[in-house]
Amino acid sequence: MIDGAAAGPALRIGNASGFYGDRFTALREMLEDGPLDVLTGDYLAELTMALLAVNRLKDPAFGYARTFLRQMEDCLGLAVERGVSIVTNAGGLNPASLADELRKLAARLGIEVRVAHVEGDDLLGRSAELGLPAGLLAAHAYLGAFGIAEALRAGANVVVTGRVTDASLVVGPAAAHFGWTRDDLDLLAKATVAGHVLECGAQATGGNFSFFTEIDARRPGFPVAELYEDGSSVITKHPGTGGAVTVETVTAQLLYETEGARYAGPDVTARLDTIRLSQQGPDRVRIDGVLGEPPPPTLKVGLNRQGGFRNEVVFVLTGLDVEAKAVLVREQMEAAFARRRPAEVRWTLARTDHADAAVQEEASASLRLVVRDADARTVGRAVSDAAVQLALAGYPGFHLTA
């Protein structure tokens, strides 16, 4: 029996981005290298939300992942031609604006496409009501899959969201396609596990894999999940792409960013201790046996605020007496801090030097100074200038990395 045959035809969902800044060409590669029904892209991390918030401060029309818009300029026509739906959280802090830009792009390119966006995660306007701290850059609840599902059921070809859980990008299309409801906890849990495997892109196909010497890790392909109506799935990748899909690579990703046996989400709590993995053939790993429990009564919320200012100086210490040179630098810089000391001062000495080195780099250690303060002036030019002014008055061989 072909695996999954009893569950009916598979819904093929691929992923083309694990973070904002991932391989730009992956979206086209995923569309060209094999059949798909849905292509997802995960662009958001907690740090990304802060970066997008700063962009939105500069221009209220921004706040989304602009890389995705450039990818769509290249690939929107191809996706429509191949009948592939696009689901992404690239909307970031401003999914409505990104959706509008996509509609303008489609009109300019002469492509007929229905674009939907999911909102409701942004809590910044409700900060006082919810008792959130003052001075926030962004505040977002992690939403689930059913906003995505409703948009797809309504006929959207492209769905952009704000902050949803990473796995929701897979669970939403599966729920829409198979008609699952919020009460189908086991089915949602199985799809959540598949979504968790896909969410970090090539990390499921050999990227960052501890046993990378055992596979072709030079350019891993991006993962694909074949999902079935009974919730089971097979993780694979397009034929001919690099990397590998094995029980080990899938397990490595399953353990990423998890804590304990219960993987809580807004739609379901997936029991990770009930997962069954089996190798079904080359680059094919079946996921089954996952049980689901009700989701927690509250949603996770991510908050971003200005944390102050940071500066860094790296002193290169070459040759003999490295420890003594480090002491001298610290004493000289501490004297410079006497007038206005940063709130946080941290020194780290990395002994990367080797005796009788063949080249200067191998004879050098790095002394890193990191300072933080709420006042930019305290850690800005005041620190950088104090370091540079030691150039002819410091340890022998003084130089900085930048």
Side-chain angles (χ1 to χ4, degrees):
M1 179 183 294
I2 299 174
D3 57 279
L11 176 70
R12 287 179 59 87
I13 303 179
N15 177 33
S17 177
F19 67 100
Y20 192 9
D22 210 342
R23 189 189 307 168
F24 184 86
T25 58
L27 201 144
R28 172 168 283 278
E29 292 167 13
M30 289 298 287
L31 290 171
E32 289 184 335
D33 290 349
L36 291 174
D37 298 302
V38 180
L39 184 57
T40 67
D42 180 8
Y43 291 78
L44 301 184
E46 286 70 25
L47 173 61
T48 309
M49 301 300 279
L51 297 174
L52 295 177
V54 172
N55 288 340
R56 187 172 61 175
L57 287 177
K58 298 174 183 175
D59 187 335
F62 290 152
Y64 55 83
R66 285 181 278 178
T67 298
F68 174 72
L69 194 59
R70 300 206 323 269
Q71 289 173 304
M72 283 290 93
E73 185 164 9
D74 176 52
C75 296
L76 180 58
L78 180 61
V80 172
E81 175 188 320
R82 302 208 167 187
V84 178
S85 300
I86 305 292
V87 179
T88 178
N89 59 16
L93 277 66
N94 204 343
S97 183
L98 177 56
D100 286 342
E101 291 300 319
L102 287 168
R103 295 183 189 104
K104 293 175 188 175
L105 173 64
R108 178 162 56 83
L109 298 177
I111 299 171
E112 237 181 88
V113 64
R114 300 186 71 184
V115 180
H117 75 274
V118 178
E119 56 186 35
D121 59 302
D122 193 345
L123 303 178
L124 199 59
R126 300 174 56 194
S127 294
E129 170 195 347
L130 298 173
L132 300 179
L136 293 172
L137 284 175
H140 290 83
Y142 285 66
L143 302 185
F146 282 91
I148 296 170
E150 287 305 311
L152 291 170
R153 286 170 180 157
N157 310 103
V158 179
V159 181
V160 295
T161 76
R163 180 75 272 189
V164 297
T165 63
D166 301 340
S168 293
L169 301 176
V170 171
V171 179
H177 182 78
F178 295 119
W180 299 341
T181 71
R182 295 179 184 274
D183 296 326
D184 294 319
L185 296 180
D186 288 345
L187 301 176
L188 295 175
K190 291 176 181 179
T192 295
V193 170
H196 178 52
V197 173
L198 258 61
E199 70 187 49
C200 290
Q203 201 162 265
T205 58
N208 297 339
F209 185 48
S210 295
F211 305 100
F212 66 96
T213 58
E214 300 176 5
I215 64 173
D216 177 8
R218 290 171 296 180
R219 187 179 171 86
F222 277 67
V224 175
E226 299 173 355
L227 281 97
Y228 298 92
E229 192 170 7
D230 67 354
S232 65
S233 61
V234 172
I235 306 300
T236 184
K237 61 187 183 69
H238 286 327
T241 57
V245 179
T246 68
V247 169
E248 290 78 17
T249 66
V250 171
T251 300
Q253 171 56 27
L254 278 173
L255 296 176
Y256 180 70
E257 293 183 338
T258 60
E259 184 179 358
R262 287 174 166 81
Y263 188 63
D267 300 314
V268 66
T269 298
R271 288 286 301 273
L272 301 184
D273 55 349
T274 62
I275 298 172
R276 294 200 306 267
L277 301 180
S278 57
Q279 194 80 39
Q280 297 289 300
D283 296 320
R284 293 182 65 80
V285 172
R286 184 174 179 82
I287 302 176
D288 206 348
V290 187
L291 297 179
E293 297 175 348
T298 55
L299 295 178
K300 174 183 174 181
V301 172
L303 305 178
N304 297 101
R305 62 179 177 84
Q306 288 282 11
F309 298 88
R310 177 185 186 277
N311 197 359
E312 177 180 302
V313 181
V314 179
F315 301 87
V316 181
L317 314 177
T318 303
L320 304 176
D321 303 320
V322 167
E323 301 285 347
K325 290 173 181 175
V327 170
L328 175 59
V329 173
R330 293 186 62 160
E331 289 178 349
Q332 289 176 311
M333 289 300 296
E334 288 293 339
F337 294 153
R339 186 174 178 184
R340 182 184 290 172
R341 184 178 179 80
E344 181 182 340
V345 177
R346 183 158 53 88
W347 293 92
T348 306
L349 176 61
R351 293 301 303 267
T352 53
D353 53 305
H354 305 288
D356 299 321
V359 294
Q360 179 173 311
E361 287 81 1
E362 295 176 1
S364 300
S366 297
L367 179 63
R368 185 183 307 273
L369 166 64
V370 176
V371 290
R372 292 184 175 88
D373 199 273
D375 186 351
R377 294 170 299 175
T378 300
V379 295
R381 290 295 299 271
V383 173
S384 300
D385 287 353
V388 171
Q389 288 166 14
L390 297 177
L392 301 181
Y395 60 88
F398 178 101
H399 65 286
L400 309 174
T401 58

